[in-house]
């Protein structure tokens, strides 16, 4: 079946990059999950990257403005029980990842230098 005119297949994809802080958070979370199941930790990381990269490359504004923080342009995308914070400019930069129940410090939402 061919994509309909005007579908997401016709849109240019944004470049998605993960900040060092975001990668560190993913490693921390995966390490915690791996205490019970290393396989589950690896699968979680794969699902997280696949979902976030695909969603935000195609639809960078699909997340909502970050709530409960003082950050001008930060947005958040929910993945399972985690909040993925990101900024949209010429590219999509993943700033950090937090459990939905965790408080976020606005310093974590500062974009890294380009």
């Amino acid at each position: 079946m061919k994509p309909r005119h005007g579908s997401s297949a016709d849109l240019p994809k944004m470049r998605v990059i993960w900040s060092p802080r975001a990668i560190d958070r993913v490693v921390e979370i995966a390490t915690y999950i791996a205490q019970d199941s290393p396989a589950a930790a690896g699968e979680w990381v794969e699902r997280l990257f696949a979902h976030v990269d695909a969603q935000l490359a195609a639809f960078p504004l699909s997340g909502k403005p970050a709530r409960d923080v003082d950050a001008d342009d930060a947005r958040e995308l929910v993945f399972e029980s985690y909040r993925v914070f990101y900024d949209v400019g010429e590219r999509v930069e993943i700033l950090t990842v937090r459990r939905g129940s965790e408080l976020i410090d606005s310093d974590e939402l500062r974009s890294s230098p380009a």
Side-chain angles (χ1 to χ4, degrees):
M1 180 173 175
K2 290 174 63 176
R4 294 186 334 214
H5 180 68
S7 73
S8 64
D10 297 335
L11 299 174
K13 302 286 186 201
M14 292 277 294
R15 182 170 176 229
V16 177
I17 62 160
W18 290 73
S19 72
R21 181 184 309 114
I23 296 294
D24 288 347
R25 290 292 300 141
V26 170
V27 169
E28 288 173 17
I29 295 164
T31 300
Y32 178 77
I33 295 169
Q35 292 174 358
D36 287 332
S37 172
E43 292 167 8
W44 178 83
V45 170
E46 288 179 19
R47 286 193 322 272
L48 171 72
F49 284 127
H51 175 76
V52 170
D53 289 348
Q55 179 72 27
L56 296 181
F59 305 103
L61 298 177
S62 61
K64 60 186 174 188
R67 64 184 182 347
D68 305 330
V69 291
D70 182 24
D72 295 334
D73 297 328
R75 302 183 71 81
E76 67 178 272
L77 180 69
V78 174
F79 172 76
E80 296 178 0
S81 59
Y82 295 87
R83 296 165 69 189
V84 178
F85 294 90
Y86 67 99
D87 190 26
V88 179
E90 292 180 16
R91 61 190 182 187
V92 175
E93 181 181 5
I94 308 304
L95 303 171
T96 193
V97 179
R98 288 283 181 187
R99 277 196 71 77
S101 60
E102 286 182 311
L103 295 177
I104 182 84
D105 184 330
S106 61
D107 287 342
E108 281 192 71
L109 301 182
R110 295 201 199 307
S111 185
S112 63

